[in-house]
Amino acid sequence: MLLLSALLLASRSAPDPAFDPGPYPMLMRHPTLSKSSIVFQFAGDLWSVSRDGGQAHRLTSAPGVESNPYFSPDGSMVAFSGQYDGNTDVFVVPAEGGVPKRLTAHPDADEVLGWSPDGKSVLFSSSMISNTDNPRMFTVPVTGGVPKPLPFPSGVSACFSPDGKRIAYIPIIRWEEAWKRYRGGQTSPIWIGEMSDSRVKEIPRKNTDDKNPMWVGDSIYYLSDKRGPVGLYRYDTRNGSVSEEIKGEGFDLKSASAGPGAIVYERLGGLFLFDPATRASKRVSIEIEADFPEVRTEFKNVARNESDFSLSPSALRVLVSARGWVFSVPASKGSTRLLDDRQAITRTNATWSPDGKTIAYVTDETGVQQLLLQDVATSGTRMVGLGDAPGIYDNLTWSPDSSRIAYTDNKLNLWSIAVT
């Protein structure tokens, strides 16, 4: 629903490239980058594609959700959070595919954050020994073993420095991840912690939401909403300066990950590569084809999805609205009829006129909600506008003489409209 709303907004702002979702918008999330490939999350699984784009292939296929993929430093393995056994735990899988190996077995969620610089351990966050709502950071050997806590009381969204002596991390969790342009007490700082003595210092900010730290050489790249929309920034660890690398405009940058020679990031469900040397970005064109059970044609029992009922004046039939469809159902004997079999349309509030000549319901087939009137005798239809768009309309009620319909909207207004 959020992506659909974003696409509708983008279509109205097509001339502005900041609002362009691309020709084939998808919801590809949490990308990670190696010298040759990008791995990302899509439809609950992990997928791999060339850095040049093209046809992606599925890397995991478990019934649960696989998320938070991170390439090992040498690009040979991918660590991720998986639900293979019901709970969310840390797994690793060969980059070319294979059988995932489970590394943790804590009953709460273990979220992968990355790797140690030597590639021997996976970095993750977990509440396994936390005394507060905030999880702690751990490493676990890729060969298996007991997780080792890092010397900090809490931490999420982290990245080691290239020499492993420091770590950039967020010390607190966000209760409401969806809040935008927020400036309250939950804004997240990025701290730089010393592994030797646990001292920390904060990347300069003014109560902004900073997240997703990525250590590249002497710089820490991160996402921030300093302008409102989330962009990409760079903190120079040598002189403490902060620079804007990708301007925050249009839709937010949702996640990012640094890899060899580039940073891959997600914006409006698409993936892009950013070159730190040239400060240029390019979209990665990706195609995904698979046997998604969610989108194949299938029979559905709508008995538990009814939203509206309307008895005909003769009491011989009943209109039923369910799952976006309108059905005419016999009261005792006869066949069930589908009023309109077109896909990708939501129909609600079906109601019969008192004289039995007309059926009315709300439809969004034009992109905004309108009133559809269907002649019972001829099956002919016509559309009537319902009010100020956009709006959500409900509670259709006919006048006794079948000449008008009263209804309400989501702005607490009461409407009446002539339909004859």
Side-chain angles (χ1 to χ4, degrees), residues 167-238:
I167 188 170
Y169 71 101
I170 296 175
I172 59 173
I173 59 173
R174 279 286 300 276
W175 302 335
E176 297 289 348
E177 285 288 344
W179 283 351
K180 294 170 68 67
R181 297 165 178 78
Y182 171 73
R183 292 296 181 265
Q186 285 191 54
T187 56
S188 55
I190 295 177
W191 289 2
I192 302 174
E194 298 286 344
M195 294 295 293
S196 59
D197 57 12
S198 303
R199 289 183 301 169
V200 298
K201 71 175 182 178
E202 184 175 300
I203 290 179
R205 71 185 186 115
K206 293 184 179 179
N207 203 32
T208 53
D209 257 324
D210 298 349
K211 60 181 181 179
N212 222 153
M214 299 162 279
W215 213 306
V216 180
D218 293 318
S219 298
I220 298 173
Y221 289 83
Y222 62 97
L223 304 182
S224 178
D225 65 352
K226 293 181 181 182
R227 289 181 175 271
V230 176
L232 180 70
Y233 292 79
R234 181 178 71 89
Y235 172 73
D236 192 318
T237 60
R238 296 165 298 183

Side-chain angles (χ1 to χ4, degrees), residues 48-305:
S48 180
V49 69
S50 166
R51 282 177 64 143
D52 297 325
Q55 187 70 43
H57 71 271
R58 193 183 251 133
L59 193 62
T60 65
S61 60
V65 175
E66 294 86 59
S67 61
N68 298 355
Y70 285 91
F71 271 110
S72 60
D74 63 3
S76 65
M77 304 190 76
V78 176
F80 63 95
S81 300
Q83 296 176 332
Y84 283 83
D85 303 303
N87 190 64
T88 301
D89 288 289
V90 176
F91 290 80
V92 291
V93 66
E96 65 274 10
V99 179
K101 177 181 179 181
R102 184 175 177 175
L103 298 183
T104 66
H106 181 250
D108 202 0
D110 298 333
E111 302 288 351
V112 172
L113 306 179
W115 290 76
S116 62
D118 59 11
K120 295 181 178 180
S121 300
V122 176
L123 175 67
F124 70 98
S125 65
S126 173
S127 64
M128 61 177 65
I129 58 173
S130 295
N131 295 319
T132 69
D133 292 337
N134 292 305
R136 291 190 62 176
M137 296 180 292
F138 299 79
T139 57
V140 61
V142 72
T143 54
V146 178
K148 178 182 178 181
L150 270 60
F152 305 99
S154 63
V156 296
S157 186
C159 182
F160 280 110
S161 63
D163 60 8
K165 295 181 178 180
R166 291 176 290 176
I167 188 170
Y169 71 101
I170 296 175
I172 59 173
I173 59 173
R174 279 286 300 276
W175 302 335
E176 297 289 348
E177 285 288 344
W179 283 351
K180 294 170 68 67
R181 297 165 178 78
Y182 171 73
R183 292 296 181 265
Q186 285 191 54
T187 56
S188 55
I190 295 177
W191 289 2
I192 302 174
E194 298 286 344
M195 294 295 293
S196 59
D197 57 12
S198 303
R199 289 183 301 169
V200 298
K201 71 175 182 178
E202 184 175 300
I203 290 179
R205 71 185 186 115
K206 293 184 179 179
N207 203 32
T208 53
D209 257 324
D210 298 349
K211 60 181 181 179
N212 222 153
M214 299 162 279
W215 213 306
V216 180
D218 293 318
S219 298
I220 298 173
Y221 289 83
Y222 62 97
L223 304 182
S224 178
D225 65 352
K226 293 181 181 182
R227 289 181 175 271
V230 176
L232 180 70
Y233 292 79
R234 181 178 71 89
Y235 172 73
D236 192 318
T237 60
R238 296 165 298 183
N239 56 31
S241 64
V242 174
S243 60
E244 184 181 57
E245 301 300 308
I246 298 178
K247 185 179 180 179
E249 58 183 357
F251 291 105
D252 291 346
L253 275 64
K254 300 295 291 184
S255 64
S257 180
I263 291 173
V264 60
Y265 66 88
E266 165 202 354
R267 173 182 262 164
L268 193 58
L271 301 185
F272 299 78
L273 288 177
F274 171 79
D275 186 341
T278 63
R279 302 178 71 183
S281 290
K282 67 174 182 179
R283 178 188 289 271
V284 182
S285 179
I286 299 174
E287 300 174 7
I288 302 177
E289 299 291 343
D291 58 338
F292 299 113
E294 299 88 352
V295 299
R296 65 177 294 271
T297 301
E298 60 181 307
F299 287 101
K300 283 287 187 181
N301 185 345
V302 300
R304 297 183 179 181
N305 303 113

Side-chain angles (χ1 to χ4, degrees), residues 385-387 393-396 405-409 413-417:
L386 286 173
Y393 303 96
D394 203 355
N395 300 311
L396 300 186
I405 292 179
Y407 55 96
T408 60
D409 67 14
N413 294 315
L414 176 64
W415 297 75
S416 175
I417 188 171

